[in-house]
Amino acid sequence: MSFLTKCGQVLDIITGGFSLPTEDEIKLQGISTILSGSNVTDKRTLNCILKDAQNVQQAFNAIPEGRTVEIDSFRHGMLTLEKKGGIVQIKEMD
C-alpha cells in the first residue's frame, strides 16, 4: 500500500471516516442493482460478482485505494466495501 493511501487511512481515523461526494455515492448505489440479480448470500461469491462488474461499472473508480464505504443493498442489506490493489471487495455484510 502506498504512503498516500496510508495517510488517507490515518486521516479517516482522525476525522471520523471517509465519505464520497453525493454524485459518486449515487453511482455506487448501482452496485445494489448488480447484486440484487443474485440469489447468493455468500460473501466470496458476491465478491466474484463485484470483481466481474468492475470491468463495466465506473462507480468503483469513486472509491480511493485503501478506503471503505457503506452502501445499502436491496437484497443483501448494508455492505461495507473496501478497495485493495485496485479491486473492490465486500469487507462486511450486515
Side-chain angles (χ1 to χ4, degrees), residues 15-81:
T15 62
F18 169 76
S19 61
L20 291 171
T22 304
E23 60 192 37
D24 290 335
E25 192 172 318
I26 291 169
K27 290 178 190 173
L28 271 178
Q29 293 306 320
I31 295 169
S32 178
T33 305
I34 293 168
L35 295 177
S36 68
S38 170
N39 291 329
V40 178
T41 57
D42 174 51
K43 185 167 83 171
R44 183 174 182 203
T45 305
L46 290 173
N47 278 328
C48 289
I49 293 169
L50 286 180
K51 186 175 180 181
D52 291 340
Q54 288 181 74
N55 294 327
V56 295
Q57 179 62 267
Q58 296 299 315
F60 291 101
N61 293 334
I63 302 174
E65 182 70 25
R67 303 290 180 91
T68 59
V69 294
E70 290 185 346
I71 63 163
D72 190 15
S73 170
F74 300 129
R75 185 173 298 217
H76 301 95
M78 189 63 75
L79 303 176
T80 302
L81 304 177

